[in-house]
Amino acid sequence: MTGSSTFGFIGLGVMGEPMCRHLVQKTKQTVLIHDINAEPVARLAHAGAVDVGSIAGLAKADVVFISMPSGEHLRKICEMPGGLLEFARAGQTIVDLSTSPLKLTRELAGTFAAKGADYADAPVARTRAAAEAGTLAISVGATADVFARIEPLLRCFASEVTHCGDVGSGQVVKILNNMVVVGTVTALCEAAAIANSAGVSTETLFDAFSKGSADSFALRNHGYKAVAAREFPERVFSTDYMHKDVSYALDMAKDAGIEAKEAALGASLLTEASRAGFGANYWPVIVKIIERASRKS
């Protein structure tokens, strides 16, 4: 990007705020911000960002980053009266950092392209701690030219940036990553419940797993830090958020004519956990649903 480029960031939530802060601190250029919540806006304005107070003001940026909780929110800020599409222009680049449905991603890319604007999907992976540290992992769907332009900006808050192919490819990779993680953690939760019933502690089980072929990132993070520790806080990646991502995977499977049985199991456990009042808790809380089922049998 040129030295005169301006950047915009909309969606300053759990992940968006630290990502935006890195952008402000590392680019040393004008970063326009907007969010419906005043607190993160005030914190980022103190760090040097510019509060524009509206989508219209944000849309003046050359590159607009979006970090939304769902595809529904993404569609709204793009398509509503006074939304991003209304102000889209030739030479502008829209970068969606959210995890969004594949169909919607390609649809929005086409609509922005009709107005001369480029579009990239760049969903982020890893935790709030990684966002704070600037060590997120990002899968990107974009043309080669667009990727080359935005990669240095993404590296302001990510240590891993992978170009996965054309628009939509980043979403495919991120959504399926989460689908696989849910499958792995579900297996860990089931194993822990079975081990406990047989007199073996979760800690002993997981320590043994870590030394053998069952070792994994999911074990060392979700397993140890949540399932074994019995830590399922709020304002981390919630049950409802993960259910959203798995539902996107199931939608893709349906379109492909594939029966994704493991993903369907994960979705059902997440649904049950939400109904049991754990919708806002860190999603490995599904272990409690598995344990409840064992006590009923």
Side-chain angles (χ1 to χ4, degrees):
M1 310 304 297
T2 68
S4 60
S5 296
T6 58
F7 309 129
F9 208 111
I10 183 169
L12 306 172
V14 170
M15 301 295 280
E17 181 181 352
M19 288 191 285
C20 184
R21 183 177 295 108
H22 281 291
L23 196 66
V24 171
Q25 294 172 342
K26 295 175 183 177
T27 63
K28 305 296 184 183
Q29 295 184 200
T30 301
V31 179
L32 312 178
I33 58 172
H34 178 58
D35 194 272
I36 59 174
N37 296 312
E39 292 85 356
V41 170
R43 288 190 292 265
L44 288 166
H46 182 73
V50 179
D51 175 15
V52 291
S54 68
I55 292 177
L58 187 88
K60 296 176 182 178
D62 301 301
V63 181
V64 176
F65 291 94
I66 303 170
S67 181
M68 291 286 115
S70 71
E72 292 179 5
H73 291 83
L74 173 64
R75 184 185 290 279
K76 181 178 180 180
I77 64 150
C78 289
E79 297 183 349
M80 69 182 190
L84 290 172
L85 273 167
E86 186 173 318
F87 303 103
R89 64 185 186 279
Q92 190 177 49
T93 303
I94 308 297
V95 183
D96 178 26
L97 300 168
S98 325
T99 302
S100 306
L102 176 60
K103 287 181 179 179
L104 176 61
T105 296
R106 289 175 173 167
E107 176 188 333
L108 288 175
T111 310
F112 276 104
K115 302 196 72 171
D118 292 316
Y119 192 94
D121 54 296
V124 302
R126 295 180 180 160
T127 62
R128 168 64 184 257
E132 294 282 2
T135 56
L136 292 168
I138 302 181
S139 53
V140 184
T143 65
D145 287 345
V146 170
F147 177 74
R149 293 204 307 270
I150 67 173
E151 183 185 9
L153 302 177
L154 297 176
R155 289 195 179 277
C156 289
F157 43 82
S159 56
E160 301 289 343
V161 180
T162 304
H163 187 203
C164 301
D166 290 336
V167 170
S169 301
Q171 297 294 355
V172 171
V173 171
K174 167 61 190 301
I175 291 165
L176 295 182
N177 174 84
N178 282 9
M179 183 189 81
V180 170
V181 169
V182 169
T184 305
V185 173
T186 297
L188 289 172
C189 292
E190 291 178 342
I194 296 167
N196 293 168
S197 70
V200 176
S201 72
T202 301
E203 292 79 3
T204 297
L205 178 72
F206 286 179
D207 283 346
F209 280 1
S210 72
K211 300 176 177 68
S213 56
D215 190 20
S216 67
F217 175 91
L219 170 67
R220 293 178 178 272
N221 287 272
H222 305 84
Y224 276 113
K225 298 175 184 178
V227 178
R230 309 298 292 187
E231 293 287 341
F232 312 108
E234 296 185 5
R235 289 189 63 79
V236 188
F237 200 84
S238 72
T239 296
D240 289 342
Y241 275 10
M242 184 55 88
H243 183 270
K244 166 187 66 72
D245 289 3
V246 176
S247 72
Y248 294 164
L250 288 169
D251 287 343
M252 290 194 296
K254 182 179 179 181
D255 290 342
I258 294 171
E259 187 179 3
K261 295 180 180 180
E262 187 173 61
L265 170 61
S268 69
L269 286 168
L270 291 161
T271 296
E272 192 172 348
S274 184
R275 289 173 178 168
F278 302 126
N281 294 95
Y282 187 34
W283 70 269
V285 75
I286 59 173
V287 69
K288 292 188 177 183
I289 303 303
I290 292 168
E291 290 169 344
R292 284 183 182 183
S294 70
R295 288 194 292 269
K296 291 177 182 178
S297 60

